[in-house]
């Protein structure tokens, strides 16, 4: 009897709290797919649903209510769907990244066998700074309708933190090279500081190859010779643009996951948005959120389950008989999620 209580106590003590924020549009559809797969594993997780996004704004008057921030801050990890932006209102995901200090955004770019794409041999990682740059959202009207300015904030502290994070991730993933992308020939102060800090940090990692390119050249090379990249580290806006560009090379937004990592929290989300054009049709591709879920499980040290999801997603794409329309198939979101689950069972 005592042992049973002890076990129960340990189970509760080790229970991970997960905030689930489906958001709007296809965010809600793909989140159901993620929960379906998570439920299968029956992990020791305590799930807490929270609201954010445009629908939430209509309901509560806020795109990201305090209650949601409270739930997120009490969690070990947060799984986020997608939101539709609301004019003149705070962006929930930018607010979450800032409030949770998840300064490092990881965007793996991997080719999948069976997916028709421009390249089929890609495997690199984009590491995006998440807390500053033009996303400081510090804009000012100098002259109404004539002149407006946006401040780009780059600090030594955040640049150092993201570059260190990129080098550590390079080691963790047994990668070999880090490329910094910037525009220091034009933005001499801001991007100049980023570049300088990158090479200062690089001195602590002598076994890792380093290089830097202007961001325009980087975006060209991502299209013309992406195989040269292993890890790209860059500031906020460049990272956003480069990762969408790179997603286009490996089968589109329906396949690209991301993780936002800080000292205390991990926030995981597909790179795609709420896709209002297909929302409600149940044809959204769930692979991006399933791979984000896999990243979350790996972050929480559930490596076995994380790998199973990743492998099962690859298998479904390789077999190619259950695909959503964005990949040329006719399957519904839940059918593809079910195919992933069937493959998980087969692989176990
Ligand atoms: P938002 O303003 O919310 O970012 P958006 O339409 O501008 O929405 P996305 O939501 O990322 O941007 O969608 C861009 C395109 O990619 C759309 O045509 C959308 O249908 C498609 N798309 C995005 N995610 C998926 C997905 N998971 N499955 C299928 N198609 C997708």
């Amino acid at each position: 009897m005592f042992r049973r209580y002890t076990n129960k106590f340990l189970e509760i003590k080790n229970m991970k709290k997960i905030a689930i924020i489906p958001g709007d549009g296809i965010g809600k559809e793909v989140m159901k797919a993620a929960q379906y797969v998570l439920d299968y594993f029956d992990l020791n997780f305590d799930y807490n649903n929270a609201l954010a996004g445009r629908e939430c704004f209509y309901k509560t008057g806020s795109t990201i209510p305090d209650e949601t921030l409270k739930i997120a801050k009490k969690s070990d990890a947060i799984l986020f769907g997608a939101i539709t932006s609301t004019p003149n209102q705070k962006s929930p995901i930018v607010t979450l990244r800032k409030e949770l200090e998840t300064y490092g955004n990881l965007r793996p770019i991997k080719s999948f066998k069976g997916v028709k794409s421009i390249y089929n041999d890609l495997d690199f990682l984009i590491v995006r700074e998440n807390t500053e740059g033009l996303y400081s959202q510090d804009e000012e009207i100098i002259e109404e309708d004539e002149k407006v300015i946006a401040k780009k904030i780059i600090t030594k502290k955040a640049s150092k933190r993201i570059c260190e994070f990129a080098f550590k991730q390079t080691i963790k993933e047994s990668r070999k090279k880090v490329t910094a992308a910037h525009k220091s020939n034009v933005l001499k102060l801001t991007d100049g500081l980023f570049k300088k800090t990158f090479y200062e940090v690089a001195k602590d990692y002598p076994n890792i190859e380093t290089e830097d390119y202007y961001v325009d050249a980087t975006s060209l090379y991502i299209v013309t010779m992406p195989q040269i990249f292993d890890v790209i580290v860059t500031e906020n806006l460049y990272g956003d643009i480069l990762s969408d560009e790179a997603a286009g090379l490996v089968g589109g937004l329906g396949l690209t996951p991301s993780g936002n990592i800080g000292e205390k929290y991990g926030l995981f989300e597909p790179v795609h948005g709420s896709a209002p054009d297909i929302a409600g049709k149940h044809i959204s591709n769930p692979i991006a959120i399933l791979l984000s879920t896999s990243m979350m499980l790996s972050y929480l040290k559930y490596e076995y389950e994380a790998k199973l999801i990743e492998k099962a997603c690859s298998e479904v794409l390789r077999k190619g008989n259950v695909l959503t329309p964005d990949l040329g198939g006719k399957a519904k979101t839940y059918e593809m999620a079910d195919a992933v689950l069937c493959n998980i069972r087969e692989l176990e």
Side-chain angles (χ1 to χ4, degrees):
M1 179 70 106
F2 175 70
R3 209 157 121 207
R4 214 168 70 210
Y5 281 127
T6 314
N7 286 346
K8 197 85 206 147
F9 173 74
L10 282 177
E11 234 175 67
I12 292 170
K13 193 166 167 257
N14 295 328
M15 186 177 269
K16 298 281 182 210
K17 282 188 183 305
I18 313 290
I20 298 284
I21 308 180
D24 299 309
I26 66 164
K28 288 189 282 188
E29 296 169 18
V30 293
M31 187 62 85
K32 275 196 189 130
Q35 284 180 286
Y36 177 59
V37 170
L38 277 170
D39 283 349
Y40 169 75
F41 289 116
D42 195 20
L43 301 167
N44 191 21
F45 287 173
D46 174 20
Y47 297 105
N48 290 289
N49 272 53
L51 297 176
R54 189 185 284 200
E55 263 183 43
C56 168
F57 175 71
Y58 293 144
K59 253 189 221 159
T60 68
S62 168
T63 50
I64 173 108
D66 288 346
E67 178 63 14
T68 298
L69 289 175
K70 220 193 241 168
I71 290 174
K73 285 181 177 173
K74 276 191 190 155
S75 303
D76 297 287
I78 299 100
L79 192 58
F80 188 93
I83 51 98
T84 309
S85 64
T86 314
N88 304 320
Q89 297 300 316
K90 275 201 275 190
S91 154
I93 191 68
V94 175
T95 306
L96 273 169
R97 287 177 190 151
K98 267 195 199 147
E99 289 278 330
L100 303 177
E101 275 283 306
T102 52
Y103 57 83
N105 188 307
L106 294 176
R107 297 192 170 192
I109 305 294
K110 280 189 191 165
S111 303
F112 291 98
K113 285 200 178 82
V115 174
K116 258 195 226 139
S117 54
I118 303 171
Y119 292 100
N120 54 19
D121 57 347
L122 300 189
D123 180 4
F124 63 95
L125 177 70
I126 299 181
V127 180
R128 164 186 174 191
E129 204 290 321
N130 240 355
T131 62
E132 53 179 32
L134 280 167
Y135 278 70
S136 327
Q137 293 178 299
D138 192 352
E139 296 184 297
E140 206 181 314
I141 299 171
I142 304 294
E143 206 182 321
E144 190 77 41
D145 281 340
E146 291 293 336
K147 188 173 180 183
V148 285
I149 55 170
K151 285 187 192 141
K152 172 164 174 159
I153 297 170
I154 296 286
T155 63
K156 178 102 183 174
K157 184 178 163 220
S159 302
K160 188 165 181 254
R161 191 168 64 172
I162 195 67
C163 290
E164 275 170 356
F165 179 68
F167 279 100
K168 283 187 184 141
Q169 196 65 26
T170 304
I171 294 170
K172 189 173 167 200
E173 296 189 18
S174 306
R175 295 181 181 272
K176 305 269 176 294
K177 181 172 78 171
V178 186
T179 307
H182 58 83
K183 191 71 184 164
S184 68
N185 51 338
V186 176
L187 298 167
K188 292 186 174 26
L189 293 181
T190 47
D191 284 26
L193 179 60
F194 184 83
K195 178 183 167 185
K196 184 169 163 252
T197 310
F198 169 72
Y199 281 111
E200 281 170 11
V201 171
K203 282 186 196 146
D204 292 335
Y205 301 88
N207 296 328
I208 296 174
E209 201 187 320
T210 51
E211 65 184 7
D212 71 283
Y213 293 120
Y214 296 132
V215 67
D216 44 341
T218 312
S219 72
L220 172 74
Y221 299 152
I222 281 183
V223 174
T224 57
M225 45 178 184
Q227 296 84 354
I228 66 165
F229 295 115
D230 201 4
V231 176
I232 297 175
V233 63
T234 190
E235 62 87 79
N236 213 335
L237 183 62
Y238 305 152
D240 186 36
I241 297 168
L242 293 179
S243 50
D244 269 23
E245 183 195 9
L249 300 181
V250 290
L253 288 172
L255 299 180
T256 356
S258 79
N260 305 274
I261 316 287
E263 301 303 337
K264 213 167 155 201
Y265 301 102
L267 162 65
F268 300 85
E269 45 159 345
V271 170
H272 64 73
S274 64
D277 55 335
I278 56 164
K281 295 182 182 162
H282 304 283
I283 53 166
S284 52
N285 185 340
I287 296 292
I289 201 161
L290 291 175
L291 293 174
S292 307
T293 306
S294 162
M295 287 175 82
M296 178 180 85
L297 292 177
S298 169
Y299 169 82
L300 293 170
K301 308 248 177 324
Y302 286 82
E303 292 296 346
Y304 173 74
E305 289 81 0
K307 277 270 163 302
L308 264 183
I309 295 180
E310 199 187 332
K311 276 191 199 149
C313 288
S314 298
E315 275 302 284
V316 169
L317 295 171
R318 187 186 63 77
K319 290 175 184 165
N321 51 348
V322 188
L323 299 177
T324 42
D326 56 308
L327 297 175
K330 288 200 169 107
K332 299 277 188 194
T333 311
Y334 59 84
E335 289 169 330
M336 202 158 168
D338 205 36
V340 172
L341 196 51
C342 288
N343 277 276
I344 289 175
R345 285 202 187 99
E346 275 172 30
L347 288 164
E348 261 188 313

